[in-house]
Amino acid sequence: ENTWLGRRQLTDGRTLLDVGAYLIWLHGMYFVLTVFTTVGFGDVSPVTEFETVYVAFMMLVGTVVNSLVVGNIISIISSVDKFATKRAHAKHLTQQISSHVRLGTVLSKTLELWALEQYDYGDDEDFDREAAVRLLGRKMKPELLSVLTESFFNGKIVRNNFLTLPFQLLEIQPPKLVVTTALAATECVYKVGEVVFRTGDIPLGMYLVTSGTFASVADLHIYQLFGHGSYFGDCELLTRQHARKSTVSCQTESNSLLFITRDDLMSLAKEFPNFAQVWESEARRRAWQQKHLLRHSNLRALDHWDFAARHLQRWARQLTSNVRLYPSMSRAKTSTCASNFAQAWTMGDGGLKNGQVDASIPERLSTLVSEMNKVHTHLQQRLDGCDQAVHKLRNETNTQI
């Protein structure tokens, strides 16, 4: 009777000792919430020593829980407000651009929707790349660093030709180069037929293809393809040109690119001069190849599948018709293998087409690789024979002299 249960009177004059468990729990929760929320109406208060200790403990717990709950709510509201503020800023900026250049209503709305989509796909503005490079540049176990570099962008960046080519030529693979390149790259996705850049555009950066197929286009006709693992857009940057020399567009639904800005590429070249020499040499070769293809290609209205198949078949026919290297490798068989390889190559990762795996692709690729290995072996044997003949002729000439 000396507890708060005996002192708490209801409207009918009864105390909580005279009622059931439901009313006792109801008033108990009310007492706890008034303490937790620091409201304290005063209608229920501790009197005994035990009640005072219990209520003091509940006050301490309530202070911590209340601060955590309020802090999380404020954090959620702040993040929502921050995202909304960025979208509002983008919207306001596009409106100012439209007003400044006198855009019409339709184009102004299109520009606004495009700007808002950039935030819907994920905003990378607050990513501090320099701090991330410094963090990962600290002393780290080689095993962990190796796993990290192999896992960046699902391992596609370390296997891109932009990095594998200098790795093979210089026979070194500095992990810091992989880390810096991965942190400098920004992933972007394009729709089928969407143009990545046009002839005459200012070169703002280069692109690493991680999936899908992209094509260089002239007069709406394809003359060069870029599949997963390749890269483009570097030639104008590394050869110090001020305008794009080609137009590149997306050819497949499932695709993704890693974009590296001009400044980041120049920083990589400055930090890794040996690799920069390889990149510049390859850029000059690719620029010459691009001019050669554009000058000598018979431009036809072909999609990327037919284009890839035709070029690989032409290469296979030239290989078998210009020099009789391997008797069992017929022209028809080589052309079929090349066509199969073209189909597999343009599918992207793992022989995917429209989300389905073509089970025959690995077998076709295996056949092509087997035949190409035979050609390579026979070529090597003939080259070794030529070297021996030259060496023998040189010895005979020296003897006669």
Side-chain angles (χ1 to χ4, degrees), residues 163-228:
L163 294 180
T164 57
L165 179 63
F167 288 167
Q168 294 171 358
L169 294 177
L170 301 176
E171 297 182 350
I172 55 174
Q173 184 175 338
K176 186 179 180 181
L177 173 59
V178 182
V179 171
T180 308
T181 305
L183 294 178
T186 303
E187 191 169 19
C188 50
V189 178
Y190 288 84
K191 300 176 182 178
V192 176
E194 188 175 358
V195 175
V196 181
F197 54 76
R198 300 179 185 276
T199 303
D201 288 351
I202 298 175
L204 301 177
M206 62 171 295
Y207 301 84
L208 312 183
V209 184
T210 55
S211 65
T213 303
F214 295 80
S216 291
V217 181
D219 297 329
L220 302 179
H221 296 155
I222 297 173
Y223 68 90
Q224 189 177 18
L225 290 179
F226 304 100
H228 64 284

Side-chain angles (χ1 to χ4, degrees), residues 276-330:
Q277 292 178 3
V278 177
W279 292 330
E280 290 177 8
S281 175
E282 181 66 10
R284 287 191 292 270
R285 185 194 68 80
R286 287 154 59 89
W288 176 88
Q289 181 189 35
Q290 187 180 76
K291 292 179 181 178
H292 178 78
L293 289 173
L294 189 57
R295 187 181 302 115
H296 296 89
S297 293
N298 184 14
L299 298 179
R300 298 180 182 179
L302 302 174
D303 61 14
H304 66 284
W305 290 85
D306 293 335
F307 179 85
R310 283 175 177 269
H311 276 259
L312 284 171
Q313 288 172 352
R314 185 182 299 119
W315 164 76
R317 286 194 294 269
Q318 291 174 353
L319 184 66
T320 54
S321 61
N322 293 341
V323 55
R324 301 181 64 84
L325 295 172
Y326 199 76
S328 66
M329 189 174 180
S330 65

Side-chain angles (χ1 to χ4, degrees), residues 66-77:
N66 188 50
S67 62
L68 290 175
V69 172
V70 173
N72 287 333
I73 293 175
I74 292 175
S75 177
I76 293 173
I77 294 175

Side-chain angles (χ1 to χ4, degrees), residues 1 20 63 92 95 128 174-175 224 228 237 301 303 322 326 339 346:
E1 295 180 358
T63 301
H92 179 66
Q95 290 175 350
D128 191 344
Q224 189 177 18
H228 64 284
L237 299 175
D303 61 14
N322 293 341
Y326 199 76
S339 179
T346 52

Side-chain angles (χ1 to χ4, degrees), residues 267-281:
S267 298
L268 287 173
K270 183 177 180 181
E271 188 172 359
F272 303 94
N274 293 341
F275 288 83
Q277 292 178 3
V278 177
W279 292 330
E280 290 177 8
S281 175

Side-chain angles (χ1 to χ4, degrees), residues 312-313 315-317 319-320 328-340 368 371-372 375:
L312 284 171
Q313 288 172 352
W315 164 76
R317 286 194 294 269
L319 184 66
T320 54
S328 66
M329 189 174 180
S330 65
R331 184 180 304 178
K333 184 176 181 181
T334 307
S335 299
T336 303
C337 291
S339 179
N340 293 337
L368 179 63
E371 296 295 342
M372 293 299 101
V375 173

